[in-house]
Amino acid sequence: MNPHEQQYFNLLLAMAVDRFSERIIQRNEGMQNALERLRANPQGEGIWLNEFVDAFFRDALLDNPAGSCLILQALANQYINVFSNIAGRVTVGEMLQEMAKQTFAALLHRKTEEALEQLLAFGGE
C-alpha cells in the first residue's frame, strides 16, 4: 500500500472512530453506558455498529469494489469472520464489499472501545 493510501485509510479510520464514538455517547447518555453497551452487543439498541459502517461506507464513497479494495488492502493482515450471513450466489464485488465492511467494523469496534476507555481514564463521564 502506498504511503498516501495508508494516510488516507488512517484518516478514514480516525473519522469513523470519532463519529461513531460521538454518536453512541449521545445515544447512550454518556461514555460509560456507551462502552458497556458496545461491549455487550455491538449490534444492539443504541449502538448499531453495522448500520453505522454501511452509512459510513456510503458517505465516504467506499461502497464499491474499488473502495472495498482500498479497505482490504489496508487491513490485509487482519482476520475475518466466517461469512455465514451471505446466502446464495453473490458477485465478487458484493463479496469484496462484505469482507471490507466486516473487517472495518471489527477494527472500528476495537478502536472505539480504546477511545472510550481513554476518555474515561482521563476524566470523561
Side-chain angles (χ1 to χ4, degrees), residues 55-116:
F56 185 80
F57 269 52
R58 278 191 307 275
D59 292 348
L61 304 176
L62 298 170
D63 60 343
N64 56 63
S68 297
C69 287
L70 174 76
I71 298 299
L72 290 172
Q73 188 175 4
L75 300 176
N77 294 327
Q78 301 289 317
Y79 292 97
I80 59 173
N81 295 325
V82 176
F83 294 105
S84 59
N85 61 334
I86 300 175
R89 293 173 48 137
V90 296
T91 66
V92 171
E94 291 167 334
M95 180 58 81
L96 286 173
Q97 288 179 40
E98 188 60 32
M99 287 189 315
K101 286 179 180 179
Q102 284 193 21
T103 308
F104 189 81
L107 181 60
L108 177 59
H109 182 205
R110 287 193 311 272
K111 292 296 185 181
T112 301
E113 275 191 28
E114 290 172 11
L116 292 175

Side-chain angles (χ1 to χ4, degrees), residues 21 24-25 29-39 112-125:
S21 296
I24 65 174
I25 289 168
E29 300 175 355
M31 286 181 234
Q32 187 63 44
N33 290 341
L35 181 58
E36 289 171 6
R37 286 188 176 169
L38 178 62
R39 286 180 172 158
T112 301
E113 275 191 28
E114 290 172 11
L116 292 175
E117 287 172 349
Q118 287 177 353
L119 288 169
L120 286 167
F122 293 107
E125 295 180 15

